[in-house]
Amino acid sequence: MTGSGKSLILNHQPVVMRIDIITVLPELLESPLRHSIIKRATDKSLVEIHLHDLREYGFGKHRQVDDYTYGNDAGMVLMIEPVDKCISALKNQRHYDEVIYTSPDGELFDQPMANTMSLHENIIILCGHYKGIDQRIRDCLITKEISIGNYVLTGGELAAAVIVDGIVRLIPGVLSDETSALSDSFQDKLLSPPVYTRPAEYKGMKVPDVLTSGNFKLIDAWKEKQAWERTKKLRPELLNDKEKNDE
Ligand code: ADE
């Protein structure tokens, strides 16, 4: 581990997955990674997340990591040398399954991709930079580019947080049985059915009778039907043509 990595957990027991995030704004990632499911996963030693401040590999007094573009486009671009040094330092210590770059140009992050990535042991995520990164980083150091949606964010840090959340929650043992990832929307291409809690009636709005019937066979059938209907109504593009006509 390079001296620059800020470990989010203190012990060093073997973990299921290690994620190294390279960023110029580690502060932006600290809070989302220290809470909720990700905190639970790090506390249980199921995942180890290290934040690397790219500026520690930067040049001069100001730890410069970006520079003007050749070709006179506006804006500054991440230089290859600090990124190469940081990634090489990590790769010298272990094998990485993927070196990911967060960018709106990348492959769209979806549930199947999250499922695949949750099986990896070690990944690096390089957060994208406002005006981009030197193309040679993408050509030579990056193995996968990921976009979290068809819109442009100011940097790749929030995208990295989304990707980490999406994969860490799938690591066995992170979620308890009742919040199992298997019942998530998208896991079987369908949206989740609606859910209700007490009271059974509020201002005349009643919870569907079947849910309070105690008949689990009927309840399961109801949930499945609702999932299909919801998907057909809200996200029909998730279903193929046959499925759209079937139900
Ligand atoms: N960086 C800027 N916009 C992004 C997006 N949509 N997905 C991933 N990284 C990004």
Coordinates of all heavy atoms in Angstrom, one line a residue, residues 1 3-8 26-27 30 34 49-52 56:
M1 N 0.9 -1.2 0.0 CA 0.0 0.0 0.0 C 0.9 1.2 0.0 O 1.8 1.3 0.7 CB -0.8 -0.2 1.3 CG -1.8 0.7 1.8 SD -3.2 1.1 0.8 CE -3.2 2.8 1.0
G3 N 2.0 5.1 0.7 CA 1.7 5.9 1.9 C 0.5 6.8 1.7 O 0.0 7.3 2.7
S4 N 0.2 7.0 0.5 CA -0.9 8.0 0.2 C -2.3 7.5 0.4 O -3.2 8.2 0.6 CB -0.8 8.5 -1.2 OG -1.0 7.3 -2.1
G5 N -2.5 6.1 0.5 CA -3.8 5.6 0.6 C -4.4 5.8 1.9 O -3.8 5.6 2.9
K6 N -5.6 6.4 2.0 CA -6.3 6.6 3.2 C -7.2 5.4 3.4 O -8.2 5.3 2.8 CB -7.2 7.8 3.2 CG -6.5 9.1 3.4 CD -7.5 10.2 3.7 CE -6.9 11.5 3.4 NZ -7.9 12.6 3.4
S7 N -6.9 4.5 4.4 CA -7.7 3.4 4.6 C -8.9 3.7 5.3 O -8.9 4.5 6.3 CB -6.9 2.3 5.3 OG -7.7 1.2 5.5
L8 N -10.1 3.2 4.9 CA -11.3 3.5 5.7 C -11.6 2.5 6.8 O -12.5 2.6 7.5 CB -12.5 3.5 4.7 CG -12.6 4.7 3.8 CD1 -13.8 4.7 3.0 CD2 -12.4 6.0 4.5
P26 N -10.6 13.7 -2.6 CA -11.0 12.6 -1.7 C -12.1 13.0 -0.7 O -12.9 12.1 -0.3 CB -9.7 12.3 -1.0 CG -8.7 13.3 -1.4 CD -9.2 14.0 -2.6
E27 N -12.1 14.3 -0.3 CA -13.1 14.7 0.7 C -14.5 14.5 0.2 O -15.4 14.2 0.9 CB -13.0 16.2 0.9 CG -11.6 16.8 1.2 CD -10.8 16.9 -0.1 OE1 -11.4 17.4 -1.1 OE2 -9.6 16.7 -0.1
E30 N -15.4 10.8 1.0 CA -15.3 10.3 2.3 C -16.6 10.0 3.0 O -16.8 8.9 3.5 CB -14.4 11.2 3.2 CG -12.9 10.7 3.1 CD -12.0 11.7 3.8 OE1 -12.4 12.5 4.6 OE2 -10.8 11.6 3.4
R34 N -18.3 6.3 4.2 CA -18.3 6.1 5.6 C -19.6 5.8 6.2 O -19.7 5.6 7.5 CB -17.7 7.3 6.4 CG -16.2 7.3 6.3 CD -15.7 8.4 7.2 NE -14.3 8.8 7.0 CZ -13.3 8.1 7.4 NH1 -13.5 7.0 8.2 NH2 -12.1 8.5 7.1
I49 N -11.7 -0.1 1.3 CA -11.7 1.0 0.4 C -10.6 1.9 0.7 O -10.5 2.4 1.8 CB -13.1 1.7 0.3 CG1 -14.2 0.7 0.0 CG2 -13.0 2.8 -0.7 CD1 -15.6 1.3 0.0
H50 N -9.7 2.2 -0.3 CA -8.6 3.1 -0.1 C -8.8 4.3 -1.0 O -9.0 4.1 -2.2 CB -7.3 2.4 -0.4 CG -7.0 1.3 0.5 ND1 -6.2 1.4 1.6 CD2 -7.5 0.0 0.5 CE1 -6.2 0.2 2.3 NE2 -7.0 -0.6 1.6
L51 N -8.7 5.5 -0.5 CA -8.8 6.7 -1.3 C -7.4 7.2 -1.5 O -6.6 7.4 -0.5 CB -9.6 7.8 -0.6 CG -11.1 7.5 -0.3 CD1 -11.7 8.6 0.5 CD2 -11.8 7.3 -1.6
H52 N -7.0 7.5 -2.7 CA -5.7 8.0 -3.0 C -5.9 9.4 -3.6 O -6.5 9.6 -4.6 CB -5.0 7.1 -4.1 CG -4.9 5.7 -3.6 ND1 -3.9 5.2 -2.9 CD2 -5.8 4.7 -3.8 CE1 -4.1 4.0 -2.6 NE2 -5.2 3.6 -3.1
E56 N -0.9 13.9 -4.4 CA 0.3 13.4 -3.8 C 1.3 12.9 -4.8 O 2.5 12.7 -4.5 CB 0.0 12.3 -2.8 CG -0.8 12.9 -1.6 CD -1.0 11.9 -0.5 OE1 -0.2 10.9 -0.4 OE2 -1.8 12.2 0.4

